[in-house]
mmCIF file of all heavy atoms in Angstrom:
data_model
loop_
_atom_site.group_PDB
_atom_site.id
_atom_site.type_symbol
_atom_site.label_atom_id
_atom_site.label_comp_id
_atom_site.label_asym_id
_atom_site.label_seq_id
_atom_site.Cartn_x
_atom_site.Cartn_y
_atom_site.Cartn_z
ATOM 1 N N ARG T 746 80.858 -34.993 73.761
ATOM 2 C CA ARG T 746 79.588 -35.519 73.308
ATOM 3 C C ARG T 746 78.632 -34.358 72.987
ATOM 4 O O ARG T 746 77.453 -34.370 73.340
ATOM 5 C CB ARG T 746 78.992 -36.413 74.401
ATOM 6 C CG ARG T 746 78.487 -37.727 73.849
ATOM 7 C CD ARG T 746 78.074 -38.692 74.908
ATOM 8 N NE ARG T 746 77.436 -38.174 76.094
ATOM 9 C CZ ARG T 746 76.765 -38.918 76.981
ATOM 10 N NH1 ARG T 746 76.626 -40.209 76.790
ATOM 11 N NH2 ARG T 746 76.245 -38.391 78.066
ATOM 12 N N CYS T 787 69.704 -33.224 72.249
ATOM 13 C CA CYS T 787 68.805 -33.424 73.391
ATOM 14 C C CYS T 787 67.929 -32.190 73.528
ATOM 15 O O CYS T 787 68.382 -31.155 74.011
ATOM 16 C CB CYS T 787 69.610 -33.671 74.666
ATOM 17 S SG CYS T 787 70.478 -35.230 74.705
ATOM 18 N N THR T 789 64.881 -32.328 75.151
ATOM 19 C CA THR T 789 64.055 -32.453 76.362
ATOM 20 C C THR T 789 64.834 -33.153 77.460
ATOM 21 O O THR T 789 65.876 -33.768 77.203
ATOM 22 C CB THR T 789 62.768 -33.238 76.073
ATOM 23 O OG1 THR T 789 63.116 -34.585 75.738
ATOM 24 C CG2 THR T 789 61.990 -32.606 74.915
ATOM 25 N N ALA T 790 64.287 -33.109 78.657
ATOM 26 C CA ALA T 790 64.882 -33.822 79.784
ATOM 27 C C ALA T 790 64.883 -35.331 79.536
ATOM 28 O O ALA T 790 65.844 -36.025 79.917
ATOM 29 C CB ALA T 790 64.135 -33.486 81.088
ATOM 30 N N ASP T 791 63.851 -35.821 78.906
ATOM 31 C CA ASP T 791 63.793 -37.258 78.605
ATOM 32 C C ASP T 791 64.958 -37.694 77.699
ATOM 33 O O ASP T 791 65.480 -38.793 77.845
ATOM 34 C CB ASP T 791 62.452 -37.620 77.924
ATOM 35 C CG ASP T 791 61.280 -37.554 78.871
ATOM 36 O OD1 ASP T 791 61.522 -37.596 80.108
ATOM 37 O OD2 ASP T 791 60.134 -37.454 78.402
ATOM 38 N N ASP T 792 65.338 -36.812 76.767
ATOM 39 C CA ASP T 792 66.466 -37.136 75.902
ATOM 40 C C ASP T 792 67.757 -37.309 76.685
ATOM 41 O O ASP T 792 68.581 -38.203 76.436
ATOM 42 C CB ASP T 792 66.656 -36.039 74.841
ATOM 43 C CG ASP T 792 65.495 -35.984 73.861
ATOM 44 O OD1 ASP T 792 64.795 -36.994 73.724
ATOM 45 O OD2 ASP T 792 65.307 -34.909 73.248
ATOM 46 N N VAL T 793 67.957 -36.459 77.692
ATOM 47 C CA VAL T 793 69.160 -36.532 78.527
ATOM 48 C C VAL T 793 69.165 -37.822 79.353
ATOM 49 O O VAL T 793 70.164 -38.523 79.428
ATOM 50 C CB VAL T 793 69.261 -35.309 79.437
ATOM 51 C CG1 VAL T 793 70.407 -35.456 80.429
ATOM 52 C CG2 VAL T 793 69.467 -34.051 78.603
ATOM 53 N N ILE T 794 68.031 -38.136 79.974
ATOM 54 C CA ILE T 794 67.936 -39.328 80.789
ATOM 55 C C ILE T 794 68.173 -40.568 79.942
ATOM 56 O O ILE T 794 68.842 -41.530 80.343
ATOM 57 C CB ILE T 794 66.556 -39.402 81.495
ATOM 58 C CG1 ILE T 794 66.385 -38.194 82.441
ATOM 59 C CG2 ILE T 794 66.429 -40.713 82.264
ATOM 60 C CD1 ILE T 794 67.432 -38.084 83.503
ATOM 61 N N ARG T 795 67.602 -40.531 78.740
ATOM 62 C CA ARG T 795 67.778 -41.678 77.835
ATOM 63 C C ARG T 795 69.251 -41.833 77.419
ATOM 64 O O ARG T 795 69.751 -42.954 77.280
ATOM 65 C CB ARG T 795 66.895 -41.489 76.604
ATOM 66 C CG ARG T 795 66.724 -42.707 75.753
ATOM 67 C CD ARG T 795 65.513 -42.636 74.858
ATOM 68 N NE ARG T 795 65.339 -41.326 74.223
ATOM 69 C CZ ARG T 795 64.336 -40.491 74.504
ATOM 70 N NH1 ARG T 795 63.410 -40.847 75.372
ATOM 71 N NH2 ARG T 795 64.230 -39.330 73.915
ATOM 72 N N LEU T 796 69.956 -40.721 77.248
ATOM 73 C CA LEU T 796 71.363 -40.784 76.840
ATOM 74 C C LEU T 796 72.250 -41.282 77.977
ATOM 75 O O LEU T 796 73.175 -42.072 77.764
ATOM 76 C CB LEU T 796 71.811 -39.396 76.360
ATOM 77 C CG LEU T 796 73.195 -39.305 75.732
ATOM 78 C CD1 LEU T 796 73.240 -40.154 74.462
ATOM 79 C CD2 LEU T 796 73.505 -37.846 75.392
ATOM 80 N N GLY T 797 71.974 -40.817 79.193
ATOM 81 C CA GLY T 797 72.734 -41.266 80.358
ATOM 82 C C GLY T 797 74.088 -40.616 80.485
ATOM 83 O O GLY T 797 74.582 -39.901 79.585
ATOM 84 N N MET T 798 74.728 -40.852 81.618
ATOM 85 C CA MET T 798 76.063 -40.308 81.885
ATOM 86 C C MET T 798 77.106 -40.885 80.940
ATOM 87 O O MET T 798 77.082 -42.068 80.617
ATOM 88 C CB MET T 798 76.480 -40.629 83.329
ATOM 89 C CG MET T 798 75.935 -39.661 84.346
ATOM 90 S SD MET T 798 76.874 -38.100 84.423
ATOM 91 C CE MET T 798 78.409 -38.632 85.153
ATOM 92 N N PHE T 816 76.891 -33.400 77.118
ATOM 93 C CA PHE T 816 75.523 -33.702 76.695
ATOM 94 C C PHE T 816 75.130 -32.771 75.562
ATOM 95 O O PHE T 816 75.290 -31.552 75.671
ATOM 96 C CB PHE T 816 74.545 -33.521 77.870
ATOM 97 C CG PHE T 816 74.676 -34.579 78.929
ATOM 98 C CD1 PHE T 816 75.551 -34.387 80.008
ATOM 99 C CD2 PHE T 816 73.935 -35.751 78.872
ATOM 100 C CE1 PHE T 816 75.675 -35.360 80.985
ATOM 101 C CE2 PHE T 816 74.065 -36.701 79.852
ATOM 102 C CZ PHE T 816 74.932 -36.535 80.916
ATOM 103 N N VAL T 818 72.841 -30.898 74.572
ATOM 104 C CA VAL T 818 71.607 -30.193 74.864
ATOM 105 C C VAL T 818 71.484 -28.935 73.985
ATOM 106 O O VAL T 818 72.518 -28.336 73.613
ATOM 107 C CB VAL T 818 71.529 -29.785 76.343
ATOM 108 C CG1 VAL T 818 71.427 -31.017 77.222
ATOM 109 C CG2 VAL T 818 72.748 -28.940 76.753
ATOM 110 N N PHE T 834 64.793 -26.757 79.734
ATOM 111 C CA PHE T 834 64.471 -26.945 78.328
ATOM 112 C C PHE T 834 63.303 -26.054 77.916
ATOM 113 O O PHE T 834 62.603 -25.504 78.755
ATOM 114 C CB PHE T 834 64.166 -28.433 78.055
ATOM 115 C CG PHE T 834 65.378 -29.313 78.199
ATOM 116 C CD1 PHE T 834 65.662 -29.931 79.424
ATOM 117 C CD2 PHE T 834 66.206 -29.539 77.132
ATOM 118 C CE1 PHE T 834 66.756 -30.744 79.562
ATOM 119 C CE2 PHE T 834 67.326 -30.348 77.233
ATOM 120 C CZ PHE T 834 67.597 -30.969 78.466
ATOM 121 N N THR T 838 60.708 -28.492 81.199
ATOM 122 C CA THR T 838 61.368 -29.546 81.984
ATOM 123 C C THR T 838 62.801 -29.150 82.304
ATOM 124 O O THR T 838 63.392 -28.289 81.615
ATOM 125 C CB THR T 838 61.350 -30.884 81.236
ATOM 126 O OG1 THR T 838 62.026 -30.726 79.979
ATOM 127 C CG2 THR T 838 59.923 -31.332 80.972
ATOM 128 N N MET T 839 63.370 -29.770 83.343
ATOM 129 C CA MET T 839 64.713 -29.377 83.797
ATOM 130 C C MET T 839 65.555 -30.620 84.113
ATOM 131 O O MET T 839 65.011 -31.701 84.388
ATOM 132 C CB MET T 839 64.619 -28.481 85.042
ATOM 133 C CG MET T 839 64.031 -27.126 84.779
ATOM 134 S SD MET T 839 63.959 -26.112 86.292
ATOM 135 C CE MET T 839 62.684 -26.959 87.221
ATOM 136 N N ILE T 840 66.864 -30.417 84.068
ATOM 137 C CA ILE T 840 67.819 -31.435 84.492
ATOM 138 C C ILE T 840 68.894 -30.741 85.320
ATOM 139 O O ILE T 840 69.370 -29.652 84.970
ATOM 140 C CB ILE T 840 68.473 -32.130 83.275
ATOM 141 C CG1 ILE T 840 67.472 -33.050 82.596
ATOM 142 C CG2 ILE T 840 69.692 -32.942 83.713
ATOM 143 C CD1 ILE T 840 67.086 -34.286 83.394
ATOM 144 N N TYR T 841 69.273 -31.376 86.450
ATOM 145 C CA TYR T 841 70.346 -30.862 87.283
ATOM 146 C C TYR T 841 71.641 -31.608 86.903
ATOM 147 O O TYR T 841 71.734 -32.822 87.063
ATOM 148 C CB TYR T 841 70.058 -31.079 88.777
ATOM 149 C CG TYR T 841 68.862 -30.290 89.303
ATOM 150 C CD1 TYR T 841 68.385 -30.491 90.594
ATOM 151 C CD2 TYR T 841 68.189 -29.357 88.508
ATOM 152 C CE1 TYR T 841 67.303 -29.804 91.080
ATOM 153 C CE2 TYR T 841 67.109 -28.666 88.970
ATOM 154 C CZ TYR T 841 66.663 -28.898 90.255
ATOM 155 O OH TYR T 841 65.590 -28.206 90.745
ATOM 156 N N PHE T 842 72.633 -30.876 86.432
ATOM 157 C CA PHE T 842 73.957 -31.434 86.130
ATOM 158 C C PHE T 842 74.867 -31.082 87.314
ATOM 159 O O PHE T 842 75.283 -29.927 87.469
ATOM 160 C CB PHE T 842 74.506 -30.880 84.829
ATOM 161 C CG PHE T 842 73.675 -31.240 83.618
ATOM 162 C CD1 PHE T 842 72.708 -30.379 83.127
ATOM 163 C CD2 PHE T 842 73.869 -32.456 82.969
ATOM 164 C CE1 PHE T 842 71.968 -30.711 82.014
ATOM 165 C CE2 PHE T 842 73.132 -32.788 81.854
ATOM 166 C CZ PHE T 842 72.168 -31.923 81.380
ATOM 167 N N GLY T 861 77.307 -35.988 88.344
ATOM 168 C CA GLY T 861 76.026 -36.710 88.286
ATOM 169 C C GLY T 861 74.974 -35.924 87.519
ATOM 170 O O GLY T 861 75.113 -34.748 87.243
ATOM 171 N N VAL T 862 73.886 -36.641 87.174
ATOM 172 C CA VAL T 862 72.745 -36.056 86.465
ATOM 173 C C VAL T 862 71.498 -36.429 87.236
ATOM 174 O O VAL T 862 71.246 -37.599 87.512
ATOM 175 C CB VAL T 862 72.668 -36.575 85.014
ATOM 176 C CG1 VAL T 862 71.413 -36.018 84.342
ATOM 177 C CG2 VAL T 862 73.901 -36.210 84.231
ATOM 178 N N VAL T 863 70.692 -35.432 87.616
ATOM 179 C CA VAL T 863 69.497 -35.657 88.445
ATOM 180 C C VAL T 863 68.293 -35.027 87.762
ATOM 181 O O VAL T 863 68.365 -33.876 87.336
ATOM 182 C CB VAL T 863 69.685 -35.076 89.851
ATOM 183 C CG1 VAL T 863 68.407 -35.282 90.668
ATOM 184 C CG2 VAL T 863 70.877 -35.719 90.544
ATOM 185 N N GLU T 864 67.224 -35.780 87.708
ATOM 186 C CA GLU T 864 65.963 -35.226 87.200
ATOM 187 C C GLU T 864 65.074 -34.894 88.397
ATOM 188 O O GLU T 864 64.831 -35.755 89.243
ATOM 189 C CB GLU T 864 65.252 -36.214 86.280
ATOM 190 C CG GLU T 864 63.958 -35.655 85.719
ATOM 191 C CD GLU T 864 63.209 -36.635 84.818
ATOM 192 O OE1 GLU T 864 63.547 -37.859 84.884
ATOM 193 O OE2 GLU T 864 62.329 -36.224 84.075
ATOM 194 N N PRO T 865 64.593 -33.656 88.495
ATOM 195 C CA PRO T 865 63.747 -33.311 89.634
ATOM 196 C C PRO T 865 62.398 -34.017 89.604
ATOM 197 O O PRO T 865 61.975 -34.519 88.559
ATOM 198 C CB PRO T 865 63.585 -31.781 89.485
ATOM 199 C CG PRO T 865 63.799 -31.526 88.038
ATOM 200 C CD PRO T 865 64.791 -32.537 87.585
ATOM 201 N N ASN T 868 58.677 -33.584 86.984
ATOM 202 C CA ASN T 868 59.337 -32.882 85.872
ATOM 203 C C ASN T 868 58.515 -33.047 84.587
ATOM 204 O O ASN T 868 58.873 -33.792 83.683
ATOM 205 C CB ASN T 868 60.745 -33.443 85.684
ATOM 206 C CG ASN T 868 61.636 -32.558 84.846
ATOM 207 O OD1 ASN T 868 61.431 -31.342 84.816
ATOM 208 N ND2 ASN T 868 62.568 -33.146 84.137
#
Side-chain angles (χ1 to χ4, degrees):
R746 227 172 36 165
C787 291
T789 65
D791 289 341
D792 293 338
V793 172
I794 298 301
R795 193 160 43 247
L796 188 62
M798 276 282 289
F816 289 90
V818 293
F834 292 92
T838 59
M839 293 181 289
I840 288 290
Y841 295 173
F842 296 95
V862 176
V863 178
E864 181 181 17
N868 195 29

